[in-house]
Amino acid sequence: MHTTFRIFLSALCVLCAQAFTAAAEPNALPTAAELAPHVTIHRDEFGLAHVIGDDDEATIFGYGYVQAEDYFWQVEDVYILALGRYSEVHGPQGINSDLLNRAFEIVPRSQRDFAALDRKSQRLYAAFVAGINHFLAMHPEVKPRLIERFEPWHVLAYFRQVALELSFRFTGLSDEFLPRRNPQIWAATGSNGWVVNGARSASGHPLLMASPHMPWFGFTQLMESHLQSKGGVDGAPWNFIGAGFYGSPTPAMGHNDRLGWTLVTNRPDIADLWRVKFSDPQQPLAYEYGSDYRQAEEWTETIRVRKSTGLEDRRHLFRKTHHGPIVQREDDKTMLAARISGLFEAVPMRQALGMMRAKNQAEFRTALAPMQMLFMNIVYADADGNSWFLYNGRIPRRNPRFDWSQPVDGADPAAEWLGVHELEELPQVSNPGAGFLQNCNSTPFQVTDGGNPQPQDFPKYMVGDGEVRNRRSLRSLELLRGVNKITFADWQRLAFDTEVYWARQELPKYAAELEKLKAADPKAAEQVRPYLEHLLAWDGRITADSTAATLCTAWYELLYGPSYPGETMRAQFVDKPEKQLAALVRAAEGLVDFHGDWKVPYGELYRSQRTSRVADLTDARFVDGGPSLPCIGGHGPMGVALTQYYSPSIDIPLVISQRKRYGMAGVSYLAAWEFAPEGVRGASLVPFGVSGDPRSPHYFDQAKLLAEQRLKTERFTEAQVLRHAVRSYRPGEEVTPAMPKAD
């Protein structure tokens, strides 16, 4: 029997069995048999999936299907992470994640809590994983590494583990404990968010820019998606396009037909540590609390770790208090317990759907009011002409007599959290007189000119980044102040701004320093002169053919270090201009050593190359002789709006030779939108392409857009989608059954 015909019969049997079971159980969760006939997937010229469902469940089912279709490996990888079994697949590098997963009891609590969810959330979670499972049923050639069948409660575990991975750093233990932390790259994750109102646009309508800077590999890479629900019998229709993580049942940012938003990483204090004392030798699990003791709980878990010789079982002991799990031992009697606000209380999908359905700012604020998003600034615009910035976070109320930046006394009942700050209590700005808003992982107290929130109006513990005025934000303020009657085409071009703020501010000062050096040490000055003159003749913009941009970047990394934030000069160079100039000579010599010349065009050295099935940035390996394209973004600490971070040049004989530098994090989704009453228009890109399959034409096609610094036009209305659809199908119908050959 022909293979595809066997697939068809197998899938048909599965669908029939699911339909029979659903009919027999009136409270059963939705199945592929029920949902697949009610959703259509349209693929456009870039392979982007436009999912149109008859109702919410069918749409979310289709979204699960296309995620698996585009990049099942990555979807499964993040769910392996969520199940606390990462070491079982990836080896010792997954232990930190698995230890946190087990300490916070992500799996048992998610299994238990799923039953307590509202029925709609249960059905939507079930619809999403049914889409993934249906893909596997229709594609037996795709072999899962671990998860043969996805369960609805897995989605709850997914939300919690991703939140844990991204927010555990707020405890202050990030340097040692953040899962799979790469100090060169992970700290650089962030975003730019810009909006101008109608007074500054040519059309008279608000313009919004989304530019998140996330790793290009691993569980935080972003996928673009377009979802449309007809609403069904009981619901209102909605239409939403944007981006989110693989494995999430909803996008995280984007726009509907009336409003949109982007997210910008912030540092609200949403996590704390309590110092817990186990001082009774007769009761080893008793810890001090008030005038008495409370009993901690202790348990053992087995973590399976993949080794070259097979799987190794490792037993780990865990302990928890009412404050949270123990995450660090200070001495034999003193330990630290951690808690992250909302980790188990939030139901993000419920809020996400409310945000996606909102038709105006009031409805959007109502959707946000339950504070289900643990952190992330929101930069917003709508077709009514509104613009809004919110310093968002599920921030606990706290007793102000404690220093919450440090572990607090776990024995003092006054150190308990006192609820959560409401939306109206958070720093925010709406419709500023200056006509623009920006945030670039910077202070919420300088997002515009005039009318900014004032630090004294908020508790000291609330804002962890109140003093951050990084160069990206300063450059963004410059750019937006200069915007006047800007067209949508020029707004898109502004997203690709590559002026190096540091170069424009600092290079002229070195001309005077060179003159001083000539008088003090003519020989040293002569060494510096050709390199500095080359930089002083430069216009300060990164282009593919600029050799000064390459030299400037190499010099900056010597002066400030290669790691983020990298805006503080290294101690050995502070107030020592002669040493700073000597570093320019070393930077030029380093380029010669690696590349044979100190005049290396930026686009030849800084490249974009995709490798598949990379679990983490540290696993990415690139090939200088392989296909790649110029990548023209620059380091955020230098004040470059088009932000990119790259692998270092490496040459270890007989081990690795990777002389070119490859994009690893930065512009992970770039979108420009205009909000008019008659409809929203947009343009966007992702850095590689929508497919994770190297054989697909959409594996690397959007890298060309990034290299050429242009965006693709969004297809948002149903008419636009149908007009540009290259192929259309229902989930599973892309597997074409063939009739069996006659005997």
Side-chain angles (χ1 to χ4, degrees):
M1 186 179 293
H2 196 280
T3 301
T4 51
F5 190 65
R6 285 201 305 270
I7 294 171
F8 173 71
L9 289 179
S10 174
L12 185 62
C13 290
V14 170
L15 291 176
C16 289
Q18 290 176 340
F20 177 80
T21 302
E25 300 178 27
N27 293 322
L29 295 172
T31 65
E34 298 171 323
L35 299 175
H38 297 284
V39 59
T40 302
I41 300 162
H42 304 279
R43 296 278 185 175
D44 65 20
E45 62 268 44
F46 285 94
L48 179 65
H50 304 263
V51 181
I52 302 178
D54 290 343
D55 58 20
D56 291 3
E57 291 176 10
T59 304
I60 299 302
F61 167 83
Y63 190 34
Y65 190 91
V66 299
Q67 285 195 33
E69 188 180 13
D70 284 346
Y71 204 0
F72 173 77
W73 187 94
Q74 186 58 60
V75 174
E76 186 193 20
D77 202 64
V78 73
Y79 275 78
I80 294 170
L81 186 73
L83 297 181
R85 299 175 68 182
Y86 215 60
S87 301
E88 193 171 332
V89 173
H90 292 288
Q93 75 179 69
I95 287 177
N96 270 9
S97 289
D98 288 347
L99 287 173
L100 278 181
N101 181 283
R102 308 303 177 89
F104 281 86
E105 301 176 276
I106 297 294
V107 168
R109 293 190 67 169
S110 298
Q111 287 176 304
R112 183 187 69 213
D113 294 348
F114 179 79
L117 284 177
D118 61 280
R119 191 63 178 164
K120 181 173 183 178
S121 293
Q122 288 181 338
R123 290 184 64 84
L124 289 171
Y125 287 9
F128 182 71
V129 298
I132 301 172
N133 291 329
H134 186 49
F135 170 81
L136 290 175
M138 298 302 295
H139 293 269
E141 75 281 3
V142 176
K143 305 296 182 185
R145 289 165 290 159
L146 186 71
I147 307 175
E148 298 289 341
R149 182 171 182 80
F150 292 76
E151 301 292 341
W153 66 267
H154 288 181
V155 183
L156 200 54
Y158 161 86
F159 278 132
R160 292 168 171 180
Q161 183 66 26
V162 168
L164 184 59
E165 296 269 339
L166 295 176
S167 61
F168 189 75
R169 60 195 170 96
F170 294 123
T171 63
L173 296 176
S174 59
D175 284 349
E176 295 82 17
F177 290 85
L178 187 65
R180 301 185 316 287
R181 181 178 187 268
N182 182 325
Q184 302 285 325
I185 299 292
W186 263 104
T189 58
S191 313
N192 295 345
W194 301 343
V195 62
V196 296
N197 67 17
R200 288 183 175 266
S201 72
S203 65
H205 306 309
L207 300 169
L208 178 62
M209 187 78 70
S211 182
H213 308 149
M214 300 301 290
W216 288 2
F217 307 93
F219 76 95
T220 54
Q221 63 186 298
L222 291 169
M223 66 169 292
E224 187 176 16
S225 53
H226 181 201
L227 310 180
Q228 183 176 347
S229 169
K230 302 287 189 178
V233 176
D234 302 320
W238 51 271
N239 188 12
F240 192 86
I241 191 167
F245 294 157
Y246 287 94
S248 174
T250 56
M253 67 193 83
H255 70 84
N256 61 25
D257 56 355
R258 294 285 303 168
L259 58 83
W261 70 93
T262 188
L263 302 178
V264 179
T265 307
N266 60 353
R267 298 209 312 258
D269 191 353
I270 62 167
D272 282 313
L273 296 170
W274 285 263
R275 184 168 281 113
V276 182
K277 294 183 179 179
F278 295 85
S279 57
D280 187 345
Q282 304 303 315
Q283 301 183 78
L285 293 181
Y287 61 96
E288 297 175 9
Y289 189 74
S291 58
D292 202 353
Y293 286 90
R294 286 192 176 189
Q295 289 292 317
E297 295 181 43
E298 200 168 66
W299 73 100
T300 302
E301 297 249 4
T302 298
I303 295 178
R304 309 198 78 187
V305 181
R306 180 167 295 281
K307 305 293 287 292
S308 59
T309 55
L311 292 173
E312 174 185 282
D313 286 349
R314 299 185 185 180
R315 302 279 286 173
H316 291 271
L317 185 66
F318 297 91
R319 184 182 293 188
K320 68 178 178 181
T321 71
H322 77 284
H323 294 298
I326 297 297
V327 294
Q328 188 176 40
R329 180 187 294 269
E330 292 190 326
D331 56 44
D332 290 343
K333 295 181 179 180
T334 310
M335 303 181 189
L336 298 180
R339 184 179 176 189
I340 296 169
S341 177
L343 185 64
F344 294 103
E345 295 80 13
V347 185
M349 188 173 187
R350 188 186 305 157
Q351 178 166 291
L353 284 172
M355 294 164 68
M356 289 161 57
R357 289 178 181 276
K359 295 297 184 183
N360 53 53
Q361 189 175 15
E363 291 183 8
F364 189 75
R365 292 178 70 99
T366 299
L368 282 174
M371 308 305 296
Q372 303 290 284
M373 192 185 305
L374 305 194
F375 68 104
M376 289 283 188
N377 292 330
I378 293 173
V379 181
Y380 164 100
D382 65 33
D384 296 320
N386 295 304
S387 58
W388 182 42
F389 164 81
L390 172 70
Y391 187 83
N392 175 70
R394 189 181 174 91
I395 304 170
R397 296 181 189 276
R398 301 168 169 96
N399 188 325
R401 74 177 174 87
F402 294 96
D403 179 5
W404 292 95
S405 67
Q406 302 295 321
V408 294
D409 184 3
D412 191 339
E416 299 289 349
W417 285 350
L418 307 171
V420 177
H421 283 280
E422 297 178 1
L423 179 70
E424 298 301 327
E425 299 176 85
L426 304 177
Q428 53 195 288
V429 180
S430 186
N431 297 323
F436 68 84
L437 291 162
Q438 65 78 38
N439 190 261
C440 302
N441 318 119
S442 48
T443 177
F445 306 129
Q446 190 182 18
V447 295
T448 187
D449 288 339
N452 285 297
Q454 297 302 305
Q456 63 269 23
D457 294 336
F458 305 94
K460 290 184 178 179
Y461 61 72
M462 179 176 281
V463 179
D465 42 4
E467 300 300 318
V468 177
R469 288 168 173 80
N470 58 37
R471 294 191 184 98
R472 271 187 298 121
S473 66
L474 296 175
R475 176 58 181 156
S476 295
L477 286 166
E478 281 186 346
L479 287 169
L480 297 182
R481 287 169 183 147
V483 165
N484 183 34
K485 303 300 180 184
I486 192 169
T487 66
F488 185 56
D490 285 338
W491 183 245
Q492 294 176 57
R493 282 189 281 273
L494 202 67
F496 294 101
D497 181 78
T498 58
E499 179 171 305
V500 182
Y501 184 88
W502 179 86
R504 181 164 51 79
Q505 296 290 319
E506 300 299 324
L507 286 180
K509 301 175 185 178
Y510 284 104
E513 295 299 337
L514 180 60
E515 292 304 314
K516 294 179 184 177
L517 188 61
K518 284 180 181 179
D521 189 342
K523 184 177 179 181
E526 185 57 28
Q527 284 184 303
V528 173
R529 183 187 55 77
Y531 310 125
L532 186 59
E533 287 181 352
H534 190 60
L535 293 178
L536 292 172
W538 174 44
D539 67 359
R541 296 184 180 276
I542 299 173
T543 60
D545 59 357
S546 173
T547 57
T550 304
L551 178 61
C552 183
T553 302
W555 185 26
Y556 184 93
E557 289 181 348
L558 280 180
L559 294 176
Y560 293 84
S563 59
Y564 189 86
E567 296 197 22
T568 301
M569 188 173 284
R570 288 170 161 174
Q572 66 263 38
F573 297 117
V574 174
D575 298 326
K576 297 175 182 176
E578 72 285 354
K579 288 192 174 182
Q580 296 167 23
L581 289 171
L584 175 56
V585 177
R586 293 204 306 276
E589 291 171 345
L591 290 171
V592 173
D593 290 343
F594 262 107
H595 311 294
D597 195 344
W598 63 272
K599 290 184 176 181
V600 183
Y602 197 89
E604 289 184 11
L605 177 57
Y606 291 88
R607 309 290 291 180
S608 173
Q609 185 178 96
R610 189 173 192 181
T611 62
S612 60
R613 302 188 175 188
V614 176
D616 190 36
L617 293 168
T618 55
D619 299 330
R621 294 293 180 267
F622 304 99
V623 179
D624 286 345
S628 66
L629 289 170
C631 198
I632 312 302
H635 294 334
M638 297 176 73
V640 183
L642 185 65
T643 302
Q644 298 292 163
Y645 302 99
Y646 301 89
S647 64
S649 293
I650 304 172
D651 188 19
I652 304 175
L654 304 179
V655 178
I656 184 173
S657 179
Q658 186 180 288
R659 293 173 177 265
K660 294 181 180 180
R661 305 186 64 175
Y662 297 93
M664 299 188 74
V667 176
S668 46
Y669 170 65
L670 186 58
W673 302 312
E674 182 178 52
F675 296 87
E678 60 271 18
V680 182
R681 61 172 171 166
S684 62
L685 64 75
V686 291
F688 291 140
V690 301
S691 175
D693 184 352
R695 299 166 298 181
S696 169
H698 306 301
Y699 179 70
F700 198 56
D701 56 340
Q702 293 189 51
K704 189 171 187 290
L705 297 177
L706 185 58
E708 296 174 352
Q709 298 192 346
R710 60 187 178 92
L711 302 176
K712 60 180 177 57
T713 301
E714 278 186 355
R715 317 302 184 190
F716 180 63
T717 67
E718 189 168 355
Q720 291 169 343
V721 169
L722 295 177
R723 188 181 315 122
H724 293 275
V726 175
R727 60 189 180 100
S728 304
Y729 56 95
R730 296 192 186 280
E733 288 183 356
E734 78 281 7
V735 180
T736 306
M739 295 303 294
K741 295 180 180 179
D743 292 335

